[in-house]
C-alpha cells in the first residue's frame, strides 16, 4: 500500500516539510501540492533529491491553486511536464479515499 502526502508549504518551510516527508517515504507514494506549494515545484524537486526521495508515483496540484498563478508563471514552471495531473476539489477528495492509499498524511509546517 502507498501513502498520499498532502504538502502545504511556503518557500520558507518547504525544505523542512520535505525532510519530514522523507522520514516515512516509501517507493510508490504520491504527493498533492496544496496552496502556493505548486509555485515552488522546482525547489521541491531539488529538496526531494537532497532527501533521497524517489519512486514517486504521482505529483498532483489543485485546479484552484494553479489558477492563482499568472499565465507567465505557469508557463515558466512548465507544470504540464512536472505534474501528473491537476485536480478539482471533487477529484482531490476521491483521491484521498482511493484504496491504493492506506493513509493520507498532511504536512503543513
Amino acid at each position: 500500500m502507498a501513502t498520499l502526502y498532502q504538502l502545504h508549504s511556503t518557500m520558507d518551510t518547504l525544505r523542512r516539510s520535505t525532510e519530514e516527508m522523507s522520514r516515512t517515504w516509501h517507493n510508490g507514494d504520491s504527493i498533492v501540492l496544496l496552496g502556493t506549494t505548486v509555485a515552488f515545484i522546482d525547489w521541491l524537486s531539488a529538496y526531494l533529491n537532497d532527501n533521497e526521495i524517489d519512486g514517486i508515483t504521482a505529483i498532483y496540484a489543485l485546479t484552484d491553486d494553479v489558477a492563482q498563478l499568472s499565465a507567465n508563471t505557469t508557463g515558466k514552471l512548465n507544470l504540464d511536464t512536472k505534474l501528473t495531473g491537476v485536480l478539482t476539489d471533487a477529484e482531490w477528495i476521491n483521491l484521498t479515499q482511493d484504496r491504493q492509499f492506506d493513509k493520507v498524511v498532511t504536512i503543513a509546517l
Side-chain angles (χ1 to χ4, degrees), residues 93-109:
I93 291 167
N94 289 338
L95 186 64
T96 64
Q97 298 171 356
D98 191 306
R99 291 181 181 240
Q100 69 178 310
F101 301 113
D102 60 331
K103 60 186 165 189
V104 177
V105 175
T106 303
I107 299 174
L109 299 174

Side-chain angles (χ1 to χ4, degrees), residues 16-102:
R16 193 171 53 152
S17 295
T18 321
E19 290 168 354
E20 283 295 319
M21 190 169 52
S22 73
R23 295 180 181 158
T24 55
W25 182 266
H26 293 96
N27 190 24
D29 290 347
S30 296
I31 303 168
V32 177
L33 305 178
L34 301 175
T36 60
T37 312
V38 69
F40 313 122
I41 194 162
D42 291 328
W43 285 98
L44 173 67
S45 180
Y47 295 153
L48 293 172
N49 288 333
D50 288 350
N51 286 288
E52 299 179 6
I53 294 175
D54 54 12
I56 301 169
T57 296
I59 299 177
Y60 302 99
L62 301 180
T63 301
D64 290 342
D65 297 338
V66 172
Q68 296 298 313
L69 302 172
S70 70
N72 186 41
T73 300
T74 304
K76 287 181 180 179
L77 290 173
N78 202 14
L79 294 176
D80 293 340
T81 64
K82 296 173 185 168
L83 294 174
T84 305
V86 179
L87 308 172
T88 64
D89 286 347
E91 291 170 327
W92 173 33
I93 291 167
N94 289 338
L95 186 64
T96 64
Q97 298 171 356
D98 191 306
R99 291 181 181 240
Q100 69 178 310
F101 301 113
D102 60 331

